[in-house]
Amino acid sequence: MDRRQQFATIDEYIAAFPPDVQAKLQELRAAIRAAAPDAEERISYQMPAYYLKGNLVYFAAFTHHIGFYPTSSGIAAFQKEIEGYASSKGAVQFPINKPLPLELVDKIVRYRVAENLKNAAKKGKKE
């Protein structure tokens, strides 16, 4: 995939990859949508993104991994569970040649939904 390519939708983004990677991205997308059915799908920073009363999570495919970006709070809350994966303050890398940890993704996304809803209620945000 050409990293300079511009995407308008998540479908366009996923279609830019080989079929085996597309299947993984669709799996991840389905897991996110199941955990956050009210989240809006967007493209942000040329990556698939989910928004619910603020940024929720992002993901992106690379040559050897799929990056999952649940913000720093999503990483910090699940530090123990992501120990076996390469990670940074705001991201975790799932190897492309291994099954996706969909249960973990579900837990992280649900955590982020609750966090965003709680923060929005505190601010009295109306969206």
Side-chain angles (χ1 to χ4, degrees):
M1 184 198 80
D2 179 356
R3 288 273 165 216
R4 295 167 297 186
Q5 191 171 347
Q6 299 291 302
F7 303 102
T9 67
I10 292 178
D11 288 326
E12 281 181 18
Y13 181 90
I14 291 173
F17 291 91
D20 58 327
V21 176
Q22 286 181 32
K24 288 225 181 240
L25 295 174
Q26 289 291 11
E27 262 187 291
L28 184 57
R29 181 187 198 183
I32 294 167
R33 291 183 76 159
D38 297 328
E40 178 188 334
E41 288 190 325
R42 299 177 171 180
I43 290 290
S44 183
Y45 303 104
Q46 286 306 301
M47 293 187 288
Y50 292 81
Y51 185 91
L52 182 67
K53 308 252 185 233
N55 294 323
L56 203 55
V57 297
Y58 301 79
F59 66 84
F62 297 92
T63 305
H64 301 290
H65 71 275
I66 293 175
F68 181 60
Y69 308 91
T71 74
S72 58
S73 65
I75 293 294
F78 293 90
Q79 202 60 56
K80 205 78 174 138
E81 289 94 328
I82 65 171
E83 268 180 5
Y85 300 99
S87 65
S88 65
K89 185 179 171 193
V92 60
Q93 296 178 3
F94 301 133
I96 211 121
N97 61 348
K98 294 201 170 126
L100 290 169
L102 298 176
E103 278 186 33
L104 176 58
V105 168
D106 180 79
K107 285 198 273 186
I108 293 172
V109 173
R110 288 179 191 280
Y111 173 85
R112 290 286 300 121
V113 166
E115 184 177 51
N116 277 14
L117 293 175
K118 184 175 131 192
N119 289 341
K122 266 195 234 172
K123 291 179 187 169
K125 209 172 187 182
K126 291 184 172 78
E127 282 187 7

